[in-house]
Structures are given as C-alpha cells and as structure tokens.
Amino acid sequence: MYQVVLVRYGEIALKGQNRYWFERTLLNNIRRHLKDLGPRRIGTVSGRVIVSLDGDWEEVKERLAPVCGIVSFSPARVVAKDMSAICRAALEEMSSLAFDGPATFKVEARRADKTFPFTSPELAREVGAFVLRHLPDLKVDLHRPRYRLSVELRREGTYVYTRVVPGQGGLPVGVSGRGVLMLSGGIDSPVAGFFAARRGVELVPLHFHSFPFTSERSKEKAVELCRVLARYAGPLRLHVAHFTDIQKAIVQLCPEELRVTIMRRMMLRVATRLAEAEGAIAIFTGESLGQVASQTMESLAVIGAVTDRPVLRPLIGFDKAEIVEKARELGTYEISIRPYEDCCTLFVPPHPATKPRREKVEAAESRLDVKGLVEGCLGRMEIIEIEPRFSGFREGFRAGGGEDACRQRTSKEGVEEIE
C-alpha cells in the first residue's frame, strides 16, 4: 500500500535565492487543494514535495493533477534503507501491476544518501535480480521497458514506485502577480486563462454582459467556464460588466465598419480600470493573430492604444484547431459551444474594418461620452465568487501569501503538518 506521493517540480529548482518562496507557494496551493480530504503531512525534501496518504490515493491524484507548478507525481511505498526491505517493496510494487504473460521492466535507482553501502548501479542490479527470481514472466529491457521500477534512496528513507502521473508543469499560481482575464463565452479566452495561470498568474476574470441582448444563460456559461478554470487557477472572483449602454451608444453614434474596433477599445478601458482597482499588472486576452477582424496586427495596435497596462495574448501564435484541442483537454470546450451568444457577437457589421486607422477611430469615438460610459459600466459591476469543482471544497483560496508569511510557518525539517 502506498504511504506517500512524491511530487516533482521543474523550473522552480532554477530560481536561485527565490526558490524558497516558489516552493512555499506551491506547498500552499497543494495544501489548499487537499484541505477538505483531511489532515496529512505535506513538506519538501531535497527537490521533492512529499504528501502523505491515508488510503486515498485516487482522491489525492484528482486534486494534484490540475495544480500548476507540478511536473509529475508518483504514489510510492516507503521503506527503511535496508536492502531486504527495499527488495520486498520492489516485489510488492511489481506484483501489483496488471500484466498478463511476459513483460519487460527496468530498475532505475537513485542514491541521494551516499552513506548507503551500494552504489546506484549495484542497487539496481540487486533489486532487479530479486524481482526476476520471484516473477519469472518478467524480462529486463534497459532501452524500451514496459515498466520502470524506480528506487529513490534518500536521507529519510527509501521510496519505491512505478507509476508516474503527468502534471500541468509551469509555475505555482500566485508567483507572477495578478492579471485581468477578459473572458468571453467562447473557446479561446478560457484557454488563454489557463496558460496565464500556468505561468503563475492569479486571475481576475472579467466578462461583458449585454442584457437583454444577451440572455442570463450567456452569463451562466461564463460562470461555468470559470468553475472549470478554477480547478487550475484556484477560486476566482468573476466580474460581470453590464455593457448594454456602451454597445447601444456605439451602434447609434459610430460608423458601422468601426463598431468592433471601438467596442474592443471600450472593453479594454473597462479592463484597465478594473486592473487598477484590483492591483493587476497586466490584461490577458484570448486573441490569436489574424483569426477575426479585431485580431489583425493593425487592429490590435489601435485597440491596445487605450491602455497603459501590458496586454498579454498567450494564444497569439496558435491555430484554431490547436486551441480547440486544448479546450477539450481542459474541459471548457463543451461549455463554450453552447448556443448562447455573448456581447462580442452582437451588432457585428458584414464588413468590419481589418486595418483601422487610429485617427479615424478616435474621431468616431469623439461622439461618445467615453468617460461617462466607462464609469457607468464600472458602477454596475457584478461580482460572483467561483469555487473549483471539488466536492466539499469550501475554504477560501489565495495563492502566494508572501515570502515572510511563509517563512514563519516553516519547520527546521522542511516538513509541516496540516491541522
């Protein structure tokens, strides 16, 4: 039976003097994902996070898989640094695998504790020979084995495992600051939000709603998308901006071919003000270069001119098919294709400008009360608290928490216990 999960992280190990803070942020995020499963020990040991198990491997696996910053993880048996105990654990682990007939395997040994009297190759040979004597259907294949039996011998004990579950990679949510995510009900923006979260960004989602031109079901779709996104990004505060007055003014007063450009500029102005209020450094969008009229380089330049915040576009080089594939993988695609229009698809002219000129757009906007419309939109902002889709998950989640606060909770052994 497995006693712990070995969690691996990638580029965190390269962070030099900041490594400690990155590790602590990842620990905090893991702890919050697992909190409602009961008390357990979670700590770091020599480049690994160790999570104790209480016969709940399947539940823990589901919670760890979406945590950004984790490269992979394995359920492991823990035994003393004794060759007989290691061999017995290796045999139990291999016997637990469901293989019919002949199969191949390889032992990969890693001896971090150099006081152990066997070298890594000697350890691998001893364990492999013991397994072969008891499981004659197995054969050794050092190049393309079906199973890899890993033995990690460390200062505190020996870990034996065969299963490796891939994680999301990237950085822990909270280490890269906050960013406003412009979230439509479409396919692209949730995927962009995932990629931002995977680089450590704490998301502030912003959705534009134009009731009665768009229905309540359109808003509910944005909420559902956030619930899925929250599995990766942590609990979210969805901001719903009521955009009806702005869209009506644009339709009444601005040239038809510039509606899309001006609408996007107004959205970006609202997003900028929200970023200022929420302490967000940048604004994230799901734009992909050349996909629609507002996503040509000329349009992006004119639209982006209204904000002093960096506008980051994680999908700018993606093809649509690649975005759809990722949306399916994340679980947002089936929600995005529900037939409820959002305000981005309203009042779109048959021939929108693909190469708008800034001076012409600004002349058209001079007919609008830009400041008043933005203020009105901000004044009616609705906030919806979103929790991840984990049963029983009720505690608040705030990634990061600051380096100093983390240090105060650190034990000398680098292991802490959740109460």
Side-chain angles (χ1 to χ4, degrees), residues 210 212-214 243-252 254-261 263 341-352:
S210 277
F213 301 115
T214 55
F243 204 58
T244 311
D245 292 343
I246 293 178
Q247 280 198 294
K248 288 167 65 177
I250 292 172
V251 170
Q252 291 171 2
C254 296
E256 185 179 83
E257 70 275 13
L258 295 179
R259 280 181 193 167
V260 174
T261 304
M263 181 185 73
E341 285 189 322
D342 59 47
C343 65
C344 294
T345 59
L346 296 175
F347 310 119
V348 176
H351 302 292

PDB file of all heavy atoms in Angstrom, residues 210 212-214 243-252 254-261 263 341-352:
ATOM      1  N   SER A 210     -24.585  41.902 -21.966  1.00  0.00           N
ATOM      2  CA  SER A 210     -25.452  42.925 -22.581  1.00  0.00           C
ATOM      3  C   SER A 210     -26.910  42.504 -22.520  1.00  0.00           C
ATOM      4  O   SER A 210     -27.572  42.330 -23.548  1.00  0.00           O
ATOM      5  CB  SER A 210     -25.033  43.169 -24.037  1.00  0.00           C
ATOM      6  OG  SER A 210     -23.974  44.061 -24.123  1.00  0.00           O
ATOM      7  N   PRO A 212     -30.759  43.097 -22.331  1.00  0.00           N
ATOM      8  CA  PRO A 212     -31.435  41.858 -22.743  1.00  0.00           C
ATOM      9  C   PRO A 212     -30.985  41.303 -24.096  1.00  0.00           C
ATOM     10  O   PRO A 212     -31.546  40.326 -24.562  1.00  0.00           O
ATOM     11  CB  PRO A 212     -32.896  42.312 -22.825  1.00  0.00           C
ATOM     12  CG  PRO A 212     -32.806  43.719 -23.323  1.00  0.00           C
ATOM     13  CD  PRO A 212     -31.575  44.283 -22.687  1.00  0.00           C
ATOM     14  N   PHE A 213     -29.944  41.951 -24.701  1.00  0.00           N
ATOM     15  CA  PHE A 213     -29.494  41.422 -25.991  1.00  0.00           C
ATOM     16  C   PHE A 213     -28.838  40.053 -25.814  1.00  0.00           C
ATOM     17  O   PHE A 213     -28.854  39.222 -26.723  1.00  0.00           O
ATOM     18  CB  PHE A 213     -28.512  42.407 -26.636  1.00  0.00           C
ATOM     19  CG  PHE A 213     -29.112  43.764 -26.861  1.00  0.00           C
ATOM     20  CD1 PHE A 213     -28.623  44.881 -26.192  1.00  0.00           C
ATOM     21  CD2 PHE A 213     -30.178  43.933 -27.717  1.00  0.00           C
ATOM     22  CE1 PHE A 213     -29.172  46.124 -26.382  1.00  0.00           C
ATOM     23  CE2 PHE A 213     -30.741  45.185 -27.921  1.00  0.00           C
ATOM     24  CZ  PHE A 213     -30.235  46.285 -27.250  1.00  0.00           C
ATOM     25  N   THR A 214     -28.188  39.847 -24.673  1.00  0.00           N
ATOM     26  CA  THR A 214     -27.686  38.512 -24.334  1.00  0.00           C
ATOM     27  C   THR A 214     -28.468  38.000 -23.124  1.00  0.00           C
ATOM     28  O   THR A 214     -28.880  38.790 -22.265  1.00  0.00           O
ATOM     29  CB  THR A 214     -26.183  38.535 -23.990  1.00  0.00           C
ATOM     30  OG1 THR A 214     -25.961  39.483 -22.937  1.00  0.00           O
ATOM     31  CG2 THR A 214     -25.368  38.946 -25.191  1.00  0.00           C
ATOM     32  N   PHE A 243     -22.706  45.832 -20.171  1.00  0.00           N
ATOM     33  CA  PHE A 243     -22.141  46.538 -21.318  1.00  0.00           C
ATOM     34  C   PHE A 243     -23.211  47.106 -22.254  1.00  0.00           C
ATOM     35  O   PHE A 243     -22.899  47.689 -23.285  1.00  0.00           O
ATOM     36  CB  PHE A 243     -21.262  45.525 -22.081  1.00  0.00           C
ATOM     37  CG  PHE A 243     -20.188  46.131 -22.923  1.00  0.00           C
ATOM     38  CD1 PHE A 243     -19.225  46.963 -22.382  1.00  0.00           C
ATOM     39  CD2 PHE A 243     -20.134  45.863 -24.284  1.00  0.00           C
ATOM     40  CE1 PHE A 243     -18.228  47.509 -23.170  1.00  0.00           C
ATOM     41  CE2 PHE A 243     -19.134  46.405 -25.079  1.00  0.00           C
ATOM     42  CZ  PHE A 243     -18.180  47.234 -24.519  1.00  0.00           C
ATOM     43  N   THR A 244     -24.477  46.948 -21.901  1.00  0.00           N
ATOM     44  CA  THR A 244     -25.574  47.292 -22.814  1.00  0.00           C
ATOM     45  C   THR A 244     -25.525  48.749 -23.252  1.00  0.00           C
ATOM     46  O   THR A 244     -25.640  49.054 -24.449  1.00  0.00           O
ATOM     47  CB  THR A 244     -26.926  47.002 -22.134  1.00  0.00           C
ATOM     48  OG1 THR A 244     -26.884  45.694 -21.575  1.00  0.00           O
ATOM     49  CG2 THR A 244     -28.063  47.105 -23.139  1.00  0.00           C
ATOM     50  N   ASP A 245     -25.379  49.668 -22.312  1.00  0.00           N
ATOM     51  CA  ASP A 245     -25.410  51.094 -22.657  1.00  0.00           C
ATOM     52  C   ASP A 245     -24.266  51.454 -23.607  1.00  0.00           C
ATOM     53  O   ASP A 245     -24.452  52.266 -24.527  1.00  0.00           O
ATOM     54  CB  ASP A 245     -25.321  51.945 -21.379  1.00  0.00           C
ATOM     55  CG  ASP A 245     -26.563  51.812 -20.521  1.00  0.00           C
ATOM     56  OD1 ASP A 245     -27.595  51.333 -21.045  1.00  0.00           O
ATOM     57  OD2 ASP A 245     -26.506  52.165 -19.323  1.00  0.00           O
ATOM     58  N   ILE A 246     -23.118  50.866 -23.375  1.00  0.00           N
ATOM     59  CA  ILE A 246     -21.976  51.164 -24.246  1.00  0.00           C
ATOM     60  C   ILE A 246     -22.229  50.650 -25.659  1.00  0.00           C
ATOM     61  O   ILE A 246     -22.004  51.371 -26.650  1.00  0.00           O
ATOM     62  CB  ILE A 246     -20.685  50.549 -23.665  1.00  0.00           C
ATOM     63  CG1 ILE A 246     -20.312  51.248 -22.348  1.00  0.00           C
ATOM     64  CG2 ILE A 246     -19.539  50.642 -24.663  1.00  0.00           C
ATOM     65  CD1 ILE A 246     -19.075  50.691 -21.669  1.00  0.00           C
ATOM     66  N   GLN A 247     -22.739  49.449 -25.760  1.00  0.00           N
ATOM     67  CA  GLN A 247     -22.995  48.906 -27.104  1.00  0.00           C
ATOM     68  C   GLN A 247     -24.077  49.694 -27.836  1.00  0.00           C
ATOM     69  O   GLN A 247     -23.968  49.955 -29.044  1.00  0.00           O
ATOM     70  CB  GLN A 247     -23.387  47.430 -27.005  1.00  0.00           C
ATOM     71  CG  GLN A 247     -22.170  46.513 -26.826  1.00  0.00           C
ATOM     72  CD  GLN A 247     -22.459  45.071 -27.157  1.00  0.00           C
ATOM     73  OE1 GLN A 247     -23.239  44.436 -26.466  1.00  0.00           O
ATOM     74  NE2 GLN A 247     -21.825  44.543 -28.185  1.00  0.00           N
ATOM     75  N   LYS A 248     -25.101  50.099 -27.131  1.00  0.00           N
ATOM     76  CA  LYS A 248     -26.166  50.881 -27.772  1.00  0.00           C
ATOM     77  C   LYS A 248     -25.618  52.212 -28.270  1.00  0.00           C
ATOM     78  O   LYS A 248     -25.952  52.676 -29.378  1.00  0.00           O
ATOM     79  CB  LYS A 248     -27.306  51.100 -26.777  1.00  0.00           C
ATOM     80  CG  LYS A 248     -28.118  49.840 -26.497  1.00  0.00           C
ATOM     81  CD  LYS A 248     -29.038  49.974 -25.307  1.00  0.00           C
ATOM     82  CE  LYS A 248     -30.123  50.980 -25.510  1.00  0.00           C
ATOM     83  NZ  LYS A 248     -31.058  51.024 -24.338  1.00  0.00           N
ATOM     84  N   ALA A 249     -24.762  52.850 -27.484  1.00  0.00           N
ATOM     85  CA  ALA A 249     -24.193  54.130 -27.904  1.00  0.00           C
ATOM     86  C   ALA A 249     -23.303  53.956 -29.131  1.00  0.00           C
ATOM     87  O   ALA A 249     -23.326  54.787 -30.057  1.00  0.00           O
ATOM     88  CB  ALA A 249     -23.384  54.732 -26.745  1.00  0.00           C
ATOM     89  N   ILE A 250     -22.531  52.888 -29.158  1.00  0.00           N
ATOM     90  CA  ILE A 250     -21.652  52.638 -30.312  1.00  0.00           C
ATOM     91  C   ILE A 250     -22.482  52.427 -31.587  1.00  0.00           C
ATOM     92  O   ILE A 250     -22.176  52.972 -32.650  1.00  0.00           O
ATOM     93  CB  ILE A 250     -20.749  51.422 -30.031  1.00  0.00           C
ATOM     94  CG1 ILE A 250     -19.745  51.748 -28.917  1.00  0.00           C
ATOM     95  CG2 ILE A 250     -20.009  50.996 -31.300  1.00  0.00           C
ATOM     96  CD1 ILE A 250     -18.937  50.555 -28.443  1.00  0.00           C
ATOM     97  N   VAL A 251     -23.540  51.640 -31.458  1.00  0.00           N
ATOM     98  CA  VAL A 251     -24.390  51.354 -32.625  1.00  0.00           C
ATOM     99  C   VAL A 251     -25.056  52.640 -33.135  1.00  0.00           C
ATOM    100  O   VAL A 251     -25.165  52.878 -34.346  1.00  0.00           O
ATOM    101  CB  VAL A 251     -25.452  50.295 -32.264  1.00  0.00           C
ATOM    102  CG1 VAL A 251     -26.487  50.157 -33.382  1.00  0.00           C
ATOM    103  CG2 VAL A 251     -24.782  48.959 -31.992  1.00  0.00           C
ATOM    104  N   GLN A 252     -25.469  53.511 -32.229  1.00  0.00           N
ATOM    105  CA  GLN A 252     -26.191  54.728 -32.618  1.00  0.00           C
ATOM    106  C   GLN A 252     -25.270  55.800 -33.203  1.00  0.00           C
ATOM    107  O   GLN A 252     -25.664  56.530 -34.121  1.00  0.00           O
ATOM    108  CB  GLN A 252     -26.932  55.298 -31.405  1.00  0.00           C
ATOM    109  CG  GLN A 252     -28.094  54.433 -30.943  1.00  0.00           C
ATOM    110  CD  GLN A 252     -28.658  54.906 -29.610  1.00  0.00           C
ATOM    111  OE1 GLN A 252     -28.204  55.896 -29.040  1.00  0.00           O
ATOM    112  NE2 GLN A 252     -29.661  54.183 -29.110  1.00  0.00           N
ATOM    113  N   CYS A 254     -21.547  55.575 -33.967  1.00  0.00           N
ATOM    114  CA  CYS A 254     -20.250  55.310 -34.612  1.00  0.00           C
ATOM    115  C   CYS A 254     -20.449  54.620 -35.972  1.00  0.00           C
ATOM    116  O   CYS A 254     -21.436  53.910 -36.170  1.00  0.00           O
ATOM    117  CB  CYS A 254     -19.392  54.428 -33.713  1.00  0.00           C
ATOM    118  SG  CYS A 254     -18.968  55.217 -32.144  1.00  0.00           S
ATOM    119  N   PRO A 255     -19.509  54.818 -36.891  1.00  0.00           N
ATOM    120  CA  PRO A 255     -19.608  54.163 -38.200  1.00  0.00           C
ATOM    121  C   PRO A 255     -19.663  52.645 -38.061  1.00  0.00           C
ATOM    122  O   PRO A 255     -18.975  52.065 -37.221  1.00  0.00           O
ATOM    123  CB  PRO A 255     -18.318  54.609 -38.909  1.00  0.00           C
ATOM    124  CG  PRO A 255     -17.885  55.842 -38.192  1.00  0.00           C
ATOM    125  CD  PRO A 255     -18.323  55.683 -36.778  1.00  0.00           C
ATOM    126  N   GLU A 256     -20.477  52.055 -38.924  1.00  0.00           N
ATOM    127  CA  GLU A 256     -20.713  50.615 -38.818  1.00  0.00           C
ATOM    128  C   GLU A 256     -19.411  49.812 -38.880  1.00  0.00           C
ATOM    129  O   GLU A 256     -19.205  48.877 -38.107  1.00  0.00           O
ATOM    130  CB  GLU A 256     -21.661  50.188 -39.943  1.00  0.00           C
ATOM    131  CG  GLU A 256     -22.066  48.736 -39.873  1.00  0.00           C
ATOM    132  CD  GLU A 256     -23.030  48.378 -40.989  1.00  0.00           C
ATOM    133  OE1 GLU A 256     -22.541  48.098 -42.114  1.00  0.00           O
ATOM    134  OE2 GLU A 256     -24.243  48.381 -40.747  1.00  0.00           O
ATOM    135  N   GLU A 257     -18.513  50.166 -39.806  1.00  0.00           N
ATOM    136  CA  GLU A 257     -17.322  49.346 -40.006  1.00  0.00           C
ATOM    137  C   GLU A 257     -16.343  49.429 -38.826  1.00  0.00           C
ATOM    138  O   GLU A 257     -15.418  48.611 -38.710  1.00  0.00           O
ATOM    139  CB  GLU A 257     -16.605  49.747 -41.305  1.00  0.00           C
ATOM    140  CG  GLU A 257     -15.923  51.099 -41.286  1.00  0.00           C
ATOM    141  CD  GLU A 257     -16.866  52.249 -41.621  1.00  0.00           C
ATOM    142  OE1 GLU A 257     -18.102  52.025 -41.633  1.00  0.00           O
ATOM    143  OE2 GLU A 257     -16.377  53.369 -41.857  1.00  0.00           O
ATOM    144  N   LEU A 258     -16.531  50.448 -37.945  1.00  0.00           N
ATOM    145  CA  LEU A 258     -15.615  50.605 -36.804  1.00  0.00           C
ATOM    146  C   LEU A 258     -16.216  50.113 -35.481  1.00  0.00           C
ATOM    147  O   LEU A 258     -15.593  50.248 -34.429  1.00  0.00           O
ATOM    148  CB  LEU A 258     -15.206  52.080 -36.647  1.00  0.00           C
ATOM    149  CG  LEU A 258     -14.384  52.673 -37.797  1.00  0.00           C
ATOM    150  CD1 LEU A 258     -14.063  54.133 -37.520  1.00  0.00           C
ATOM    151  CD2 LEU A 258     -13.089  51.888 -37.998  1.00  0.00           C
ATOM    152  N   ARG A 259     -17.429  49.555 -35.544  1.00  0.00           N
ATOM    153  CA  ARG A 259     -18.093  49.120 -34.300  1.00  0.00           C
ATOM    154  C   ARG A 259     -17.232  48.146 -33.505  1.00  0.00           C
ATOM    155  O   ARG A 259     -17.067  48.277 -32.290  1.00  0.00           O
ATOM    156  CB  ARG A 259     -19.419  48.435 -34.633  1.00  0.00           C
ATOM    157  CG  ARG A 259     -20.560  49.359 -34.935  1.00  0.00           C
ATOM    158  CD  ARG A 259     -21.782  48.506 -35.220  1.00  0.00           C
ATOM    159  NE  ARG A 259     -22.852  49.299 -35.820  1.00  0.00           N
ATOM    160  CZ  ARG A 259     -23.929  48.771 -36.399  1.00  0.00           C
ATOM    161  NH1 ARG A 259     -24.051  47.443 -36.460  1.00  0.00           N
ATOM    162  NH2 ARG A 259     -24.846  49.547 -36.913  1.00  0.00           N
ATOM    163  N   VAL A 260     -16.697  47.143 -34.179  1.00  0.00           N
ATOM    164  CA  VAL A 260     -15.934  46.109 -33.463  1.00  0.00           C
ATOM    165  C   VAL A 260     -14.688  46.721 -32.821  1.00  0.00           C
ATOM    166  O   VAL A 260     -14.376  46.458 -31.649  1.00  0.00           O
ATOM    167  CB  VAL A 260     -15.553  44.962 -34.417  1.00  0.00           C
ATOM    168  CG1 VAL A 260     -14.632  43.969 -33.710  1.00  0.00           C
ATOM    169  CG2 VAL A 260     -16.800  44.259 -34.919  1.00  0.00           C
ATOM    170  N   THR A 261     -13.983  47.550 -33.574  1.00  0.00           N
ATOM    171  CA  THR A 261     -12.763  48.169 -33.045  1.00  0.00           C
ATOM    172  C   THR A 261     -13.085  49.027 -31.819  1.00  0.00           C
ATOM    173  O   THR A 261     -12.399  48.932 -30.778  1.00  0.00           O
ATOM    174  CB  THR A 261     -12.114  49.048 -34.129  1.00  0.00           C
ATOM    175  OG1 THR A 261     -11.874  48.266 -35.294  1.00  0.00           O
ATOM    176  CG2 THR A 261     -10.806  49.630 -33.635  1.00  0.00           C
ATOM    177  N   MET A 263     -15.768  48.917 -29.904  1.00  0.00           N
ATOM    178  CA  MET A 263     -16.263  48.084 -28.800  1.00  0.00           C
ATOM    179  C   MET A 263     -15.089  47.462 -28.031  1.00  0.00           C
ATOM    180  O   MET A 263     -15.064  47.467 -26.794  1.00  0.00           O
ATOM    181  CB  MET A 263     -17.169  46.986 -29.342  1.00  0.00           C
ATOM    182  CG  MET A 263     -17.756  46.089 -28.259  1.00  0.00           C
ATOM    183  SD  MET A 263     -18.707  44.717 -28.922  1.00  0.00           S
ATOM    184  CE  MET A 263     -17.399  43.673 -29.572  1.00  0.00           C
ATOM    185  N   GLU A 341     -25.287  33.384 -27.205  1.00  0.00           N
ATOM    186  CA  GLU A 341     -24.375  34.423 -27.684  1.00  0.00           C
ATOM    187  C   GLU A 341     -23.894  35.326 -26.553  1.00  0.00           C
ATOM    188  O   GLU A 341     -24.654  35.644 -25.638  1.00  0.00           O
ATOM    189  CB  GLU A 341     -25.064  35.292 -28.740  1.00  0.00           C
ATOM    190  CG  GLU A 341     -25.213  34.614 -30.098  1.00  0.00           C
ATOM    191  CD  GLU A 341     -25.697  35.601 -31.136  1.00  0.00           C
ATOM    192  OE1 GLU A 341     -26.531  36.445 -30.794  1.00  0.00           O
ATOM    193  OE2 GLU A 341     -25.218  35.522 -32.275  1.00  0.00           O
ATOM    194  N   ASP A 342     -22.628  35.751 -26.619  1.00  0.00           N
ATOM    195  CA  ASP A 342     -22.163  36.802 -25.727  1.00  0.00           C
ATOM    196  C   ASP A 342     -22.110  38.108 -26.503  1.00  0.00           C
ATOM    197  O   ASP A 342     -22.368  38.147 -27.712  1.00  0.00           O
ATOM    198  CB  ASP A 342     -20.797  36.455 -25.119  1.00  0.00           C
ATOM    199  CG  ASP A 342     -19.734  36.233 -26.180  1.00  0.00           C
ATOM    200  OD1 ASP A 342     -19.648  37.058 -27.095  1.00  0.00           O
ATOM    201  OD2 ASP A 342     -19.006  35.236 -26.094  1.00  0.00           O
ATOM    202  N   CYS A 343     -21.788  39.197 -25.812  1.00  0.00           N
ATOM    203  CA  CYS A 343     -21.911  40.508 -26.443  1.00  0.00           C
ATOM    204  C   CYS A 343     -20.893  40.740 -27.559  1.00  0.00           C
ATOM    205  O   CYS A 343     -21.068  41.642 -28.383  1.00  0.00           O
ATOM    206  CB  CYS A 343     -21.809  41.609 -25.392  1.00  0.00           C
ATOM    207  SG  CYS A 343     -20.207  41.703 -24.587  1.00  0.00           S
ATOM    208  N   CYS A 344     -19.834  39.925 -27.616  1.00  0.00           N
ATOM    209  CA  CYS A 344     -18.828  40.109 -28.674  1.00  0.00           C
ATOM    210  C   CYS A 344     -19.400  39.801 -30.052  1.00  0.00           C
ATOM    211  O   CYS A 344     -18.863  40.251 -31.073  1.00  0.00           O
ATOM    212  CB  CYS A 344     -17.620  39.215 -28.405  1.00  0.00           C
ATOM    213  SG  CYS A 344     -16.692  39.661 -26.924  1.00  0.00           S
ATOM    214  N   THR A 345     -20.456  39.001 -30.108  1.00  0.00           N
ATOM    215  CA  THR A 345     -21.025  38.610 -31.402  1.00  0.00           C
ATOM    216  C   THR A 345     -22.226  39.454 -31.795  1.00  0.00           C
ATOM    217  O   THR A 345     -22.840  39.217 -32.833  1.00  0.00           O
ATOM    218  CB  THR A 345     -21.441  37.126 -31.365  1.00  0.00           C
ATOM    219  OG1 THR A 345     -22.410  36.941 -30.318  1.00  0.00           O
ATOM    220  CG2 THR A 345     -20.244  36.229 -31.082  1.00  0.00           C
ATOM    221  N   LEU A 346     -22.573  40.450 -30.966  1.00  0.00           N
ATOM    222  CA  LEU A 346     -23.724  41.309 -31.260  1.00  0.00           C
ATOM    223  C   LEU A 346     -23.317  42.471 -32.157  1.00  0.00           C
ATOM    224  O   LEU A 346     -22.210  42.998 -32.046  1.00  0.00           O
ATOM    225  CB  LEU A 346     -24.314  41.866 -29.967  1.00  0.00           C
ATOM    226  CG  LEU A 346     -24.920  40.866 -28.980  1.00  0.00           C
ATOM    227  CD1 LEU A 346     -25.337  41.591 -27.709  1.00  0.00           C
ATOM    228  CD2 LEU A 346     -26.107  40.158 -29.611  1.00  0.00           C
ATOM    229  N   PHE A 347     -24.224  42.884 -33.004  1.00  0.00           N
ATOM    230  CA  PHE A 347     -24.075  44.093 -33.829  1.00  0.00           C
ATOM    231  C   PHE A 347     -22.799  44.073 -34.672  1.00  0.00           C
ATOM    232  O   PHE A 347     -22.232  45.126 -34.969  1.00  0.00           O
ATOM    233  CB  PHE A 347     -24.076  45.353 -32.943  1.00  0.00           C
ATOM    234  CG  PHE A 347     -25.210  45.405 -31.976  1.00  0.00           C
ATOM    235  CD1 PHE A 347     -24.976  45.448 -30.599  1.00  0.00           C
ATOM    236  CD2 PHE A 347     -26.530  45.399 -32.423  1.00  0.00           C
ATOM    237  CE1 PHE A 347     -26.031  45.497 -29.713  1.00  0.00           C
ATOM    238  CE2 PHE A 347     -27.592  45.438 -31.521  1.00  0.00           C
ATOM    239  CZ  PHE A 347     -27.339  45.480 -30.166  1.00  0.00           C
ATOM    240  N   VAL A 348     -22.331  42.901 -35.031  1.00  0.00           N
ATOM    241  CA  VAL A 348     -21.131  42.813 -35.870  1.00  0.00           C
ATOM    242  C   VAL A 348     -21.529  43.136 -37.311  1.00  0.00           C
ATOM    243  O   VAL A 348     -22.410  42.485 -37.880  1.00  0.00           O
ATOM    244  CB  VAL A 348     -20.503  41.407 -35.789  1.00  0.00           C
ATOM    245  CG1 VAL A 348     -19.310  41.303 -36.742  1.00  0.00           C
ATOM    246  CG2 VAL A 348     -20.064  41.125 -34.358  1.00  0.00           C
ATOM    247  N   PRO A 349     -20.916  44.140 -37.936  1.00  0.00           N
ATOM    248  CA  PRO A 349     -21.289  44.512 -39.307  1.00  0.00           C
ATOM    249  C   PRO A 349     -20.805  43.470 -40.308  1.00  0.00           C
ATOM    250  O   PRO A 349     -19.898  42.688 -40.008  1.00  0.00           O
ATOM    251  CB  PRO A 349     -20.565  45.849 -39.503  1.00  0.00           C
ATOM    252  CG  PRO A 349     -19.384  45.761 -38.608  1.00  0.00           C
ATOM    253  CD  PRO A 349     -19.824  44.967 -37.416  1.00  0.00           C
ATOM    254  N   PRO A 350     -21.377  43.468 -41.508  1.00  0.00           N
ATOM    255  CA  PRO A 350     -20.944  42.469 -42.513  1.00  0.00           C
ATOM    256  C   PRO A 350     -19.505  42.673 -42.963  1.00  0.00           C
ATOM    257  O   PRO A 350     -18.837  41.720 -43.360  1.00  0.00           O
ATOM    258  CB  PRO A 350     -21.933  42.681 -43.658  1.00  0.00           C
ATOM    259  CG  PRO A 350     -22.517  44.039 -43.451  1.00  0.00           C
ATOM    260  CD  PRO A 350     -22.509  44.282 -41.980  1.00  0.00           C
ATOM    261  N   HIS A 351     -19.010  43.915 -42.878  1.00  0.00           N
ATOM    262  CA  HIS A 351     -17.641  44.178 -43.333  1.00  0.00           C
ATOM    263  C   HIS A 351     -16.894  45.047 -42.312  1.00  0.00           C
ATOM    264  O   HIS A 351     -16.672  46.244 -42.537  1.00  0.00           O
ATOM    265  CB  HIS A 351     -17.673  44.862 -44.697  1.00  0.00           C
ATOM    266  CG  HIS A 351     -18.381  44.085 -45.756  1.00  0.00           C
ATOM    267  ND1 HIS A 351     -17.890  42.902 -46.268  1.00  0.00           N
ATOM    268  CD2 HIS A 351     -19.585  44.289 -46.367  1.00  0.00           C
ATOM    269  CE1 HIS A 351     -18.728  42.423 -47.160  1.00  0.00           C
ATOM    270  NE2 HIS A 351     -19.783  43.239 -47.243  1.00  0.00           N
ATOM    271  N   PRO A 352     -16.498  44.480 -41.178  1.00  0.00           N
ATOM    272  CA  PRO A 352     -15.754  45.259 -40.174  1.00  0.00           C
ATOM    273  C   PRO A 352     -14.367  45.624 -40.677  1.00  0.00           C
ATOM    274  O   PRO A 352     -13.778  44.892 -41.485  1.00  0.00           O
ATOM    275  CB  PRO A 352     -15.675  44.304 -38.981  1.00  0.00           C
ATOM    276  CG  PRO A 352     -15.774  42.941 -39.585  1.00  0.00           C
ATOM    277  CD  PRO A 352     -16.682  43.074 -40.764  1.00  0.00           C
TER     278      PRO A 352
END
